[in-house]
Amino acid sequence: MPARSLSLTVNGQSHLLDLAPDTPLLTVLRNDLELNGPKFGCGLGACGACAVLVDDRAVRACAIPVAAVEGRPVTTLEGLGGPDRLHPVQKALIDEQAAQCGYCLNGMIIAVTSLLRRDPDPDDAAIRSALRHHLCRCGTHVEILNAARRAAGAMRERTHAGEVE
Amino acid sequence: MTRPEEPSRSRYLEAAEGLVVTASATDPTLYLALHPGGGVTAFNGHVDLGTGIRTALAQIVAEELDVPFDRVRMVLGSTQAVPDQGPTIASETIQVTAKPLRQAAATARRHLLACAAHHAGCEPDELEIVDGIVSRKHPANWAIAIGELVRGQLERIALDADCPVKPVSAYRLVGTGQARTDIPEKATGRWAYVHDVRLHGMLHGRVIRPPHTGFDHGEHVAHNLLSVNEDSLAGLPGIVDIVVVGDFVGVVAEREEQAARAADLLDVRWRKAPAIADLSAPEDPLRDHPASARVLADNGNVERGLDAASSPIARSYVWPYQMHASIGPSCAVAEWSEERLTVWSGTQNPRFMQRDLALLFDMPEDAVTVERMEAAGCYGRNCADDVTADAALLSQAVGRPVRVQLTREQEHGWEPKGAAQVVDVRGGLDLEGGPAAYDFETRYPSNLAPTLALILTGRVSNVASVTHMGDRTAIPPYAFDNMRVTVHDMPPLARASWFRGVSAMPNSFAHESFIDELASAAEVDPVEYRLRYLTDPRAIDLVHAVTERAGWTPRTKPMTMEREGDVLYGRGFAYALYVHGTFPGTAAAWSAWVADVAVNCRTGEIAVTRVTVGQDSGLMINPEGVRHQIHGNVIQSTSRVLKEKVEFSQTGVESLEWGGYPIIQFPEVPEIDVVMLPRPDEEPLGVGESASVPSAAAIVNAVFDATGIRFRELPLTPDKVLAALRDAGLAREPEPRAQTRSLPAPTRTKSRRSLFSSLAGVAGGLLAGGFLAASPWHSAIRPIVKPDPATYSAMTIARGREVAAAGACDVCHTGVDGTPFAGGRAFETPFGTVRASNISSSVENGIGAWSYPAFERAMRRGISRDGSHLYPVHPYPSFAGTSDADLQALYAFMMTQRSIDTPAPKTALSFPFNVRSLMAGWNALFAGSQNFAPDPQRTERWNRGAYLVETLGHCSACHSPRNALGASRTGADHLAGGFAEGWHAPALNGEGPSPIGWSEAALYDYLRTGTAADHGSAGGPMSSVVASLAPLPDTDIRAMATYLASFSDRGRAQGSEMAVPASDHSKAVIEQAAREAPAGNRIFEGACASCHENGAPIASLSAHTALHAETPDNVVRTILKGATAPALLAPEDKRGGLEVMAMPAFAKSLSDRQIGNLVRYLRARYAPDAPSWQNVEETIAQARKAVGR
Ligand code: FES
Ligand code: FES
């Protein structure tokens, strides 16, 4: 497709880019916006490494054309929180040391965040099922599950304390 | 930009101040550098493969130096800086590679104490170091920071291998849990993996591999390329270069998506790859492969022992090819100049990489810098080296930095696999029930998988070498008196390299399964039986500790545990001491498993519910890190045992993505209980692999305990398990379904003739029938001066735009590059290519010189301005009924659009199809010229819809079957379903295959947004039609929906009035589909379910029209080509509520066979009451041809 000018909102910032509208969103995030969070894993929507949030839903950025998110704000791992302002899910993953190579981490954090926005108190089966199509080859599942539980607890506490995310 | 560069060793050796520890006074190999600020840089030749080695090594240095942990920075792997310590393999980092580091730190510590003592005027032993501060113990009146001690000048000292190290009792850091230093950055997207390197001026490359996917040796290799047609990329934006060196082919572009597209489109012709043995069933090919026997042990007298055995037992165990299956496909960046090559690489072996690159470019090794960056975990060797050399070749060609990202398919296909293995064991019981003999023979086709570019460019030979790697843990851990162990070393079959546990995994699978069989034959509890023959005290301790923790109860026969409904439970045990390295090798950590399984006798599914795993790792540097490694090993090896096997086609690896090679998912992960034996006074042992080794036997033994069935070949997929359960009379067959699926060959009631394929019939029929009698000649209408756009009012042009949208003109007449109305799109027909013409306002090449009468004649009668006939690809029979006002507005609109002055390629059919005048006869028969007549009985809206559907919209061109002469049938067949470009265009007359009738609302949604919740999304040509309809006002779309819905209210329930038949979702249907098409089920779970079962309504397949259709065409084509994001198809103001999703194309990822399996599964699962599809293979082959690779 011929390039045209597209406007995107990513992590609260707007960008105007000249792009072929069918460019995968992931390529734009990684190459044009130089974001490291979303990762290329399969390009087929199967592994979850590339996940980003669009309207609170975890979306596979490798499989969707960038034009599909025009006018819909995108949040990446970077946008959730940074080292000095960790999102509770990021903090829980760090506290549980839930990474080996860490390549899958982006997808895991995005998926857990999206799950907790839908269901603040998920049971084990709900967590496992929300993460079902996020693959981890290192076998970090146990730590990731612990982190998801810990994050759920932390976020509920925050809500009780009246803080908003 | 992200350009990580490690300062070279000389920067440290030539620094102004500090303390450096090198190998010796003359050998500048650098281990440690202490800086005036108090920081410490430590160097290690091994790399972090995602196991947290970086943290463990830093702990060792901090401990030995007594500096705070966070002051130590580890430099791993980068060739400019670190010692050459060989490849990071076989769990050696802590056991071997860390030693000089620790000695270096001890040497530095001694030196610092001596310096400090000099300053303080005391003896070194009166001082202590705590947290980087040297102080006097008594009286505590003097202190100095070690950063101060190394200030002012540079001192270089030599590593003293005999320098005493700290006693374990004095450790305060080593042996305690230490948070990893990399995780915070990784969790926030700040960490730079090799994938995240971005250099100034960097280009993007992709490679195109030969057809012998995953095979790297043999005469044909490096001699496969026939041609590369550079013209195939003509006109693509951003292309910088096409690089061909021998069989190495790559493309370079400015942007990554441009390179990806170029790699897809580049026309590369290869010789046909030679057929290979079927490695999906590796036993025979391995037995048939030439091998040389190497006897590793021969104790006692095996033959005599076997003769004396009361009941001889001979067993064979088969291990499949498996994949490392890194989550991130390999990636690298290279920057080449005449003098220097720098690569950013995820290699496991920076030094080997450096050597390979020097060889590839014939340059000195020290002109090559390998910056080692972390990549996705690899557990052995994946494509990291290959892609590094690829990037270097492309960078050399273009003289700029190039990043190459392999595709998922390339990583799956070409990564050197974990080798298959076949193990034969003969043995038996003596009269006392002890092992009479143990004759163990193992076959292992290994290879070193040379870096691919070296082979493809012909730099190294295509003859594979034989390596001796089949011997890992080949010696059983039991004291068998009569024992012989033989390895059959053989050259590779598929490209292979080491993969976690290497040959120890299959070897231990055989050892630990066989001893279980002996115990069972002797009617002794398998744990007790092992303990009788284990001699190693640490092994015995471990077995006791693990079985105690698991609450093991002795068992002498299977099927003693409780059963719940269809589920049988069992537990199994296995033990292994992983021995790695060149035979006789070095032992890593000891490991033992108790596995609990649940076997479902209805589905054949095995769930590993719990694993109690024990490990003796010696001293644990970072116990939490060790625990995580154990978890990782248990989960990954469970996945390998239950699910993993590489499938091969006749020419190469067939499993190219996660459906073809599924791995464990969260719901399948067992509970894991880890028992770590405290051994602080023992040497630290490698923990990266050990806990994988007992996995297969423990699980298989547990399945035996549950069912009495022994599996000796992996993986334990449900279809295999179910078949064995059936043989054993244990399978629970499902209740027969009330309605059995009858399988009559479908009588094709609808003509498959598509708009285009029927032209053959046209010409043939016309010739035969002599229709030439109808006057074929029409006069040309004189060209005019192109009308001045100003003559048309804005309103007329706007109306014309809508008419063009409704007529979907640009769906066919769009330029190849997407330029509106430029023409040139090719429509393949059996007798030649029909090209859409340029209909832009160009005077020369478009319709700019056409008068309105000429335009109207073409639209209504199919006659071009010059008097020649148009092919009925142009749907003038429908357009004939368009109102004059609409046609005039359309003319105005077209004349005011941009003139595209490039001629569209001409249609070139061969005789007789090139005789356009034949169409005259056709017209005489079929072309209408009636204006549309409204039905006064109907509403205005209905009539408006009818007009749009029947004239401008020309829906019948695709949605009606065609007669033998290629005309849309009328009467009862009108809108009764047809074909377009190979896609089935379902009936619109209410007789369509959808299980749910199309309501007006659904039709509106579909036409407006491309998606109807109950029916699915538009695919193929229909998605372009939806996009084209975007400019039409809502009222028109509603009108079309009203008209079309009036056909479908023939007593059928619509939309939500009728929920999807409950059976479609029922567990029974899902299980039945899995039983019918197990291979398709696996692909669905791995490749499709991530979207189609995520709860998003648009992705639900339950009522999808295509799955209920008579033929699988649309399903097949959608799988091959993917589907556009509905959120993209819909007009911008209608996108809000839509799911942001699109379906990728699987043409490159799935083979025809895999698609066939998938399609069968989909039909069984989502249209359980419909008959199975026939001719699936044919349909796939046809669609594949149309779609391309
Ligand atoms: S990279 Fe997007 S799902 Fe795998
Ligand atoms: S931590 Fe490596 S893939 Fe999950």
Side-chain angles (χ1 to χ4, degrees), chain B residues 542 545-546 549 613-618 620 622-630 673-679 687:
Chain B
L542 180 68
V546 174
R549 172 75 147 258
V613 54
Q615 187 158 304
D616 175 351
S617 322
M620 290 177 280
N622 185 357
E624 275 319 289
V626 173
R627 182 187 300 278
H628 291 187
Q629 277 300 299
I630 295 174
D673 187 9
V674 177
V675 187
M676 299 199 290
L677 265 55
R679 299 272 190 204
V687 297

PDB file of all heavy atoms in Angstrom, chain B residues 542 545-546 549 613-618 620 622-630 673-679 687:
ATOM      1  N   LEU B 542      19.757 -38.313  47.760  1.00  0.00           N
ATOM      2  CA  LEU B 542      18.792 -37.551  46.978  1.00  0.00           C
ATOM      3  C   LEU B 542      17.506 -38.356  46.758  1.00  0.00           C
ATOM      4  O   LEU B 542      16.396 -37.835  46.906  1.00  0.00           O
ATOM      5  CB  LEU B 542      19.410 -37.154  45.629  1.00  0.00           C
ATOM      6  CG  LEU B 542      18.500 -36.349  44.712  1.00  0.00           C
ATOM      7  CD1 LEU B 542      18.242 -34.959  45.287  1.00  0.00           C
ATOM      8  CD2 LEU B 542      19.101 -36.212  43.313  1.00  0.00           C
ATOM      9  N   ALA B 545      15.547 -38.299  49.867  1.00  0.00           N
ATOM     10  CA  ALA B 545      14.962 -36.978  50.157  1.00  0.00           C
ATOM     11  C   ALA B 545      13.744 -36.709  49.278  1.00  0.00           C
ATOM     12  O   ALA B 545      12.713 -36.219  49.751  1.00  0.00           O
ATOM     13  CB  ALA B 545      16.012 -35.890  49.944  1.00  0.00           C
ATOM     14  N   VAL B 546      13.851 -37.038  47.999  1.00  0.00           N
ATOM     15  CA  VAL B 546      12.753 -36.709  47.073  1.00  0.00           C
ATOM     16  C   VAL B 546      11.539 -37.594  47.323  1.00  0.00           C
ATOM     17  O   VAL B 546      10.395 -37.112  47.348  1.00  0.00           O
ATOM     18  CB  VAL B 546      13.221 -36.863  45.610  1.00  0.00           C
ATOM     19  CG1 VAL B 546      12.051 -36.679  44.653  1.00  0.00           C
ATOM     20  CG2 VAL B 546      14.306 -35.870  45.310  1.00  0.00           C
ATOM     21  N   ARG B 549       9.774 -36.530  50.476  1.00  0.00           N
ATOM     22  CA  ARG B 549       9.019 -35.284  50.296  1.00  0.00           C
ATOM     23  C   ARG B 549       7.727 -35.547  49.515  1.00  0.00           C
ATOM     24  O   ARG B 549       6.672 -34.975  49.807  1.00  0.00           O
ATOM     25  CB  ARG B 549       9.890 -34.272  49.564  1.00  0.00           C
ATOM     26  CG  ARG B 549       9.165 -33.026  49.164  1.00  0.00           C
ATOM     27  CD  ARG B 549       8.905 -32.102  50.366  1.00  0.00           C
ATOM     28  NE  ARG B 549       8.958 -30.738  49.883  1.00  0.00           N
ATOM     29  CZ  ARG B 549       9.987 -29.926  50.048  1.00  0.00           C
ATOM     30  NH1 ARG B 549      11.017 -30.299  50.768  1.00  0.00           N
ATOM     31  NH2 ARG B 549       9.990 -28.724  49.520  1.00  0.00           N
ATOM     32  N   VAL B 613      10.628 -32.547  42.649  1.00  0.00           N
ATOM     33  CA  VAL B 613      11.930 -32.668  42.005  1.00  0.00           C
ATOM     34  C   VAL B 613      13.015 -32.311  43.012  1.00  0.00           C
ATOM     35  O   VAL B 613      12.912 -31.318  43.721  1.00  0.00           O
ATOM     36  CB  VAL B 613      12.013 -31.781  40.740  1.00  0.00           C
ATOM     37  CG1 VAL B 613      11.667 -30.344  41.035  1.00  0.00           C
ATOM     38  CG2 VAL B 613      13.371 -31.875  40.076  1.00  0.00           C
ATOM     39  N   GLY B 614      14.004 -33.174  43.090  1.00  0.00           N
ATOM     40  CA  GLY B 614      15.102 -32.918  44.024  1.00  0.00           C
ATOM     41  C   GLY B 614      16.388 -32.697  43.271  1.00  0.00           C
ATOM     42  O   GLY B 614      16.590 -33.243  42.186  1.00  0.00           O
ATOM     43  N   GLN B 615      17.235 -31.864  43.818  1.00  0.00           N
ATOM     44  CA  GLN B 615      18.510 -31.629  43.151  1.00  0.00           C
ATOM     45  C   GLN B 615      19.616 -31.415  44.178  1.00  0.00           C
ATOM     46  O   GLN B 615      19.431 -30.726  45.176  1.00  0.00           O
ATOM     47  CB  GLN B 615      18.387 -30.413  42.228  1.00  0.00           C
ATOM     48  CG  GLN B 615      19.609 -30.207  41.367  1.00  0.00           C
ATOM     49  CD  GLN B 615      19.297 -29.382  40.125  1.00  0.00           C
ATOM     50  OE1 GLN B 615      18.417 -29.735  39.331  1.00  0.00           O
ATOM     51  NE2 GLN B 615      20.017 -28.298  39.958  1.00  0.00           N
ATOM     52  N   ASP B 616      20.745 -32.043  43.913  1.00  0.00           N
ATOM     53  CA  ASP B 616      21.961 -31.794  44.680  1.00  0.00           C
ATOM     54  C   ASP B 616      22.905 -31.045  43.761  1.00  0.00           C
ATOM     55  O   ASP B 616      23.458 -31.622  42.832  1.00  0.00           O
ATOM     56  CB  ASP B 616      22.558 -33.138  45.138  1.00  0.00           C
ATOM     57  CG  ASP B 616      23.903 -32.962  45.834  1.00  0.00           C
ATOM     58  OD1 ASP B 616      24.452 -31.844  45.814  1.00  0.00           O
ATOM     59  OD2 ASP B 616      24.401 -33.960  46.392  1.00  0.00           O
ATOM     60  N   SER B 617      23.044 -29.745  43.999  1.00  0.00           N
ATOM     61  CA  SER B 617      23.811 -28.889  43.101  1.00  0.00           C
ATOM     62  C   SER B 617      25.155 -28.507  43.708  1.00  0.00           C
ATOM     63  O   SER B 617      25.816 -27.596  43.225  1.00  0.00           O
ATOM     64  CB  SER B 617      23.035 -27.596  42.817  1.00  0.00           C
ATOM     65  OG  SER B 617      21.658 -27.850  42.697  1.00  0.00           O
ATOM     66  N   GLY B 618      25.536 -29.176  44.819  1.00  0.00           N
ATOM     67  CA  GLY B 618      26.722 -28.718  45.524  1.00  0.00           C
ATOM     68  C   GLY B 618      26.417 -27.360  46.152  1.00  0.00           C
ATOM     69  O   GLY B 618      25.268 -27.061  46.483  1.00  0.00           O
ATOM     70  N   MET B 620      25.342 -23.761  46.239  1.00  0.00           N
ATOM     71  CA  MET B 620      24.513 -22.969  45.325  1.00  0.00           C
ATOM     72  C   MET B 620      24.876 -21.501  45.466  1.00  0.00           C
ATOM     73  O   MET B 620      24.736 -20.926  46.547  1.00  0.00           O
ATOM     74  CB  MET B 620      23.041 -23.196  45.645  1.00  0.00           C
ATOM     75  CG  MET B 620      22.589 -24.602  45.258  1.00  0.00           C
ATOM     76  SD  MET B 620      20.889 -24.920  45.715  1.00  0.00           S
ATOM     77  CE  MET B 620      21.048 -25.288  47.455  1.00  0.00           C
ATOM     78  N   ASN B 622      23.479 -18.830  43.942  1.00  0.00           N
ATOM     79  CA  ASN B 622      22.254 -18.060  44.122  1.00  0.00           C
ATOM     80  C   ASN B 622      21.094 -19.048  44.198  1.00  0.00           C
ATOM     81  O   ASN B 622      20.525 -19.422  43.177  1.00  0.00           O
ATOM     82  CB  ASN B 622      22.077 -17.091  42.943  1.00  0.00           C
ATOM     83  CG  ASN B 622      20.864 -16.178  43.133  1.00  0.00           C
ATOM     84  OD1 ASN B 622      20.133 -16.301  44.119  1.00  0.00           O
ATOM     85  ND2 ASN B 622      20.663 -15.282  42.190  1.00  0.00           N
ATOM     86  N   PRO B 623      20.747 -19.494  45.413  1.00  0.00           N
ATOM     87  CA  PRO B 623      19.754 -20.574  45.528  1.00  0.00           C
ATOM     88  C   PRO B 623      18.429 -20.259  44.833  1.00  0.00           C
ATOM     89  O   PRO B 623      17.814 -21.137  44.251  1.00  0.00           O
ATOM     90  CB  PRO B 623      19.559 -20.716  47.036  1.00  0.00           C
ATOM     91  CG  PRO B 623      20.776 -20.117  47.647  1.00  0.00           C
ATOM     92  CD  PRO B 623      21.245 -19.061  46.710  1.00  0.00           C
ATOM     93  N   GLU B 624      18.029 -18.985  44.876  1.00  0.00           N
ATOM     94  CA  GLU B 624      16.767 -18.665  44.192  1.00  0.00           C
ATOM     95  C   GLU B 624      16.918 -18.846  42.688  1.00  0.00           C
ATOM     96  O   GLU B 624      16.015 -19.310  42.002  1.00  0.00           O
ATOM     97  CB  GLU B 624      16.313 -17.233  44.515  1.00  0.00           C
ATOM     98  CG  GLU B 624      15.520 -17.144  45.817  1.00  0.00           C
ATOM     99  CD  GLU B 624      14.534 -18.308  45.995  1.00  0.00           C
ATOM    100  OE1 GLU B 624      13.520 -18.338  45.268  1.00  0.00           O
ATOM    101  OE2 GLU B 624      14.776 -19.189  46.846  1.00  0.00           O
ATOM    102  N   GLY B 625      18.088 -18.487  42.191  1.00  0.00           N
ATOM    103  CA  GLY B 625      18.362 -18.694  40.768  1.00  0.00           C
ATOM    104  C   GLY B 625      18.321 -20.182  40.434  1.00  0.00           C
ATOM    105  O   GLY B 625      17.793 -20.579  39.391  1.00  0.00           O
ATOM    106  N   VAL B 626      18.858 -20.995  41.320  1.00  0.00           N
ATOM    107  CA  VAL B 626      18.851 -22.446  41.091  1.00  0.00           C
ATOM    108  C   VAL B 626      17.408 -22.953  41.072  1.00  0.00           C
ATOM    109  O   VAL B 626      17.011 -23.732  40.196  1.00  0.00           O
ATOM    110  CB  VAL B 626      19.667 -23.174  42.173  1.00  0.00           C
ATOM    111  CG1 VAL B 626      19.520 -24.680  42.031  1.00  0.00           C
ATOM    112  CG2 VAL B 626      21.133 -22.763  42.104  1.00  0.00           C
ATOM    113  N   ARG B 627      16.612 -22.471  42.001  1.00  0.00           N
ATOM    114  CA  ARG B 627      15.210 -22.909  42.049  1.00  0.00           C
ATOM    115  C   ARG B 627      14.498 -22.566  40.734  1.00  0.00           C
ATOM    116  O   ARG B 627      13.782 -23.382  40.168  1.00  0.00           O
ATOM    117  CB  ARG B 627      14.501 -22.241  43.229  1.00  0.00           C
ATOM    118  CG  ARG B 627      13.043 -22.654  43.415  1.00  0.00           C
ATOM    119  CD  ARG B 627      12.353 -21.821  44.490  1.00  0.00           C
ATOM    120  NE  ARG B 627      13.014 -21.952  45.782  1.00  0.00           N
ATOM    121  CZ  ARG B 627      12.798 -22.970  46.628  1.00  0.00           C
ATOM    122  NH1 ARG B 627      11.954 -23.929  46.308  1.00  0.00           N
ATOM    123  NH2 ARG B 627      13.437 -23.032  47.771  1.00  0.00           N
ATOM    124  N   HIS B 628      14.739 -21.354  40.255  1.00  0.00           N
ATOM    125  CA  HIS B 628      14.096 -20.962  38.998  1.00  0.00           C
ATOM    126  C   HIS B 628      14.580 -21.822  37.838  1.00  0.00           C
ATOM    127  O   HIS B 628      13.809 -22.170  36.947  1.00  0.00           O
ATOM    128  CB  HIS B 628      14.336 -19.479  38.717  1.00  0.00           C
ATOM    129  CG  HIS B 628      13.616 -18.584  39.677  1.00  0.00           C
ATOM    130  ND1 HIS B 628      13.566 -17.224  39.552  1.00  0.00           N
ATOM    131  CD2 HIS B 628      12.902 -18.873  40.793  1.00  0.00           C
ATOM    132  CE1 HIS B 628      12.854 -16.705  40.547  1.00  0.00           C
ATOM    133  NE2 HIS B 628      12.447 -17.697  41.307  1.00  0.00           N
ATOM    134  N   GLN B 629      15.855 -22.152  37.851  1.00  0.00           N
ATOM    135  CA  GLN B 629      16.374 -23.033  36.805  1.00  0.00           C
ATOM    136  C   GLN B 629      15.692 -24.396  36.863  1.00  0.00           C
ATOM    137  O   GLN B 629      15.391 -25.003  35.844  1.00  0.00           O
ATOM    138  CB  GLN B 629      17.885 -23.225  36.966  1.00  0.00           C
ATOM    139  CG  GLN B 629      18.697 -22.109  36.369  1.00  0.00           C
ATOM    140  CD  GLN B 629      18.435 -21.982  34.887  1.00  0.00           C
ATOM    141  OE1 GLN B 629      18.677 -22.885  34.116  1.00  0.00           O
ATOM    142  NE2 GLN B 629      17.892 -20.853  34.491  1.00  0.00           N
ATOM    143  N   ILE B 630      15.477 -24.885  38.065  1.00  0.00           N
ATOM    144  CA  ILE B 630      14.816 -26.191  38.202  1.00  0.00           C
ATOM    145  C   ILE B 630      13.383 -26.103  37.675  1.00  0.00           C
ATOM    146  O   ILE B 630      12.934 -26.946  36.894  1.00  0.00           O
ATOM    147  CB  ILE B 630      14.851 -26.664  39.673  1.00  0.00           C
ATOM    148  CG1 ILE B 630      16.301 -26.912  40.095  1.00  0.00           C
ATOM    149  CG2 ILE B 630      14.013 -27.923  39.855  1.00  0.00           C
ATOM    150  CD1 ILE B 630      16.481 -27.244  41.569  1.00  0.00           C
ATOM    151  N   ASP B 673       7.219 -28.999  43.209  1.00  0.00           N
ATOM    152  CA  ASP B 673       7.743 -28.929  44.568  1.00  0.00           C
ATOM    153  C   ASP B 673       9.237 -29.234  44.497  1.00  0.00           C
ATOM    154  O   ASP B 673       9.636 -30.315  44.079  1.00  0.00           O
ATOM    155  CB  ASP B 673       7.012 -29.967  45.437  1.00  0.00           C
ATOM    156  CG  ASP B 673       7.379 -29.822  46.901  1.00  0.00           C
ATOM    157  OD1 ASP B 673       8.055 -28.834  47.256  1.00  0.00           O
ATOM    158  OD2 ASP B 673       7.001 -30.715  47.680  1.00  0.00           O
ATOM    159  N   VAL B 674      10.043 -28.258  44.858  1.00  0.00           N
ATOM    160  CA  VAL B 674      11.493 -28.410  44.690  1.00  0.00           C
ATOM    161  C   VAL B 674      12.165 -28.746  46.018  1.00  0.00           C
ATOM    162  O   VAL B 674      11.911 -28.097  47.029  1.00  0.00           O
ATOM    163  CB  VAL B 674      12.100 -27.103  44.133  1.00  0.00           C
ATOM    164  CG1 VAL B 674      13.610 -27.218  44.014  1.00  0.00           C
ATOM    165  CG2 VAL B 674      11.487 -26.767  42.786  1.00  0.00           C
ATOM    166  N   VAL B 675      12.990 -29.776  45.991  1.00  0.00           N
ATOM    167  CA  VAL B 675      13.798 -30.116  47.168  1.00  0.00           C
ATOM    168  C   VAL B 675      15.250 -29.853  46.798  1.00  0.00           C
ATOM    169  O   VAL B 675      15.793 -30.514  45.916  1.00  0.00           O
ATOM    170  CB  VAL B 675      13.668 -31.622  47.505  1.00  0.00           C
ATOM    171  CG1 VAL B 675      14.373 -31.936  48.811  1.00  0.00           C
ATOM    172  CG2 VAL B 675      12.223 -32.055  47.520  1.00  0.00           C
ATOM    173  N   MET B 676      15.870 -28.854  47.463  1.00  0.00           N
ATOM    174  CA  MET B 676      17.268 -28.575  47.137  1.00  0.00           C
ATOM    175  C   MET B 676      18.143 -29.037  48.303  1.00  0.00           C
ATOM    176  O   MET B 676      17.974 -28.565  49.435  1.00  0.00           O
ATOM    177  CB  MET B 676      17.458 -27.095  46.880  1.00  0.00           C
ATOM    178  CG  MET B 676      16.612 -26.614  45.710  1.00  0.00           C
ATOM    179  SD  MET B 676      17.173 -25.053  45.004  1.00  0.00           S
ATOM    180  CE  MET B 676      16.759 -23.925  46.311  1.00  0.00           C
ATOM    181  N   LEU B 677      19.029 -29.968  48.023  1.00  0.00           N
ATOM    182  CA  LEU B 677      19.860 -30.489  49.103  1.00  0.00           C
ATOM    183  C   LEU B 677      20.946 -29.475  49.472  1.00  0.00           C
ATOM    184  O   LEU B 677      21.651 -28.985  48.599  1.00  0.00           O
ATOM    185  CB  LEU B 677      20.511 -31.816  48.674  1.00  0.00           C
ATOM    186  CG  LEU B 677      19.735 -33.055  49.117  1.00  0.00           C
ATOM    187  CD1 LEU B 677      18.300 -33.003  48.652  1.00  0.00           C
ATOM    188  CD2 LEU B 677      20.416 -34.324  48.639  1.00  0.00           C
ATOM    189  N   PRO B 678      21.047 -29.157  50.750  1.00  0.00           N
ATOM    190  CA  PRO B 678      22.083 -28.198  51.146  1.00  0.00           C
ATOM    191  C   PRO B 678      23.455 -28.874  51.124  1.00  0.00           C
ATOM    192  O   PRO B 678      23.678 -29.836  51.865  1.00  0.00           O
ATOM    193  CB  PRO B 678      21.672 -27.789  52.558  1.00  0.00           C
ATOM    194  CG  PRO B 678      20.810 -28.905  53.062  1.00  0.00           C
ATOM    195  CD  PRO B 678      20.268 -29.656  51.892  1.00  0.00           C
ATOM    196  N   ARG B 679      24.346 -28.418  50.309  1.00  0.00           N
ATOM    197  CA  ARG B 679      25.703 -28.976  50.244  1.00  0.00           C
ATOM    198  C   ARG B 679      26.701 -27.835  50.168  1.00  0.00           C
ATOM    199  O   ARG B 679      27.472 -27.740  49.208  1.00  0.00           O
ATOM    200  CB  ARG B 679      25.861 -29.835  48.986  1.00  0.00           C
ATOM    201  CG  ARG B 679      24.933 -31.022  48.892  1.00  0.00           C
ATOM    202  CD  ARG B 679      25.540 -32.215  49.562  1.00  0.00           C
ATOM    203  NE  ARG B 679      24.760 -33.417  49.270  1.00  0.00           N
ATOM    204  CZ  ARG B 679      24.754 -34.485  50.051  1.00  0.00           C
ATOM    205  NH1 ARG B 679      25.483 -34.501  51.163  1.00  0.00           N
ATOM    206  NH2 ARG B 679      24.049 -35.535  49.726  1.00  0.00           N
ATOM    207  N   VAL B 687      23.728 -26.188  36.967  1.00  0.00           N
ATOM    208  CA  VAL B 687      22.324 -26.481  37.247  1.00  0.00           C
ATOM    209  C   VAL B 687      21.426 -26.176  36.049  1.00  0.00           C
ATOM    210  O   VAL B 687      20.212 -26.250  36.150  1.00  0.00           O
ATOM    211  CB  VAL B 687      21.822 -25.680  38.463  1.00  0.00           C
ATOM    212  CG1 VAL B 687      22.583 -26.087  39.697  1.00  0.00           C
ATOM    213  CG2 VAL B 687      21.963 -24.177  38.207  1.00  0.00           C
TER     214      VAL B 687
END
